[in-house]
Amino acid sequence: MGRVVITHSTYVEGLIPLLKRLAQVPGIGTITPAVISRVRGHSPALRLRVSTPITGGHKLVARRGTSAQEVFVVTDWSRERLQELVDQLLEN
């Protein structure tokens, strides 16, 4: 069971509860939300996409409204398996 690192005061709306559910899945280690930024597009619902591999895991990008936030996940899972899990959590 992993853990979510809470270091900032601002997060994309709805992100932290989703990350806490993700951290409860065996095989998922530390989850660290990082830089939040403004984007030109608009995403009415929360979306989370596996972006690039990093040492020991993957970088994800969370989007909602006109905000985007990087999320780093430590895991040995493949990109496809992690994206499937994230999609399942977003549906619930």
Side-chain angles (χ1 to χ4, degrees):
M1 189 160 117
R3 68 185 182 102
V4 178
V5 178
I6 306 292
T7 58
H8 299 286
S9 60
T10 307
Y11 298 96
V12 170
E13 184 181 345
L15 180 62
I16 296 301
L18 177 73
L19 295 182
K20 287 183 178 180
R21 291 196 334 246
L22 179 62
Q24 294 175 353
V25 177
I28 301 294
T30 304
I31 302 173
T32 308
V35 178
I36 190 167
S37 59
R38 292 276 184 217
V39 292
R40 292 186 349 183
H42 181 78
S43 177
L46 177 64
R47 294 188 310 171
L48 199 57
R49 179 179 56 89
V50 178
S51 176
T52 57
I54 60 170
T55 304
H58 297 279
K59 179 174 97 170
L60 286 68
V61 176
R63 293 200 50 194
R64 183 162 193 172
T66 57
S67 299
Q69 187 163 13
E70 295 177 345
V71 178
F72 297 96
V73 177
V74 175
T75 183
D76 56 357
W77 287 17
S78 69
R79 173 189 179 127
E80 293 78 19
R81 184 175 177 194
L82 183 58
Q83 186 65 58
E84 287 174 11
L85 175 62
V86 167
D87 291 343
Q88 287 175 1
L89 290 174
L90 283 170
E91 288 174 6
N92 297 334

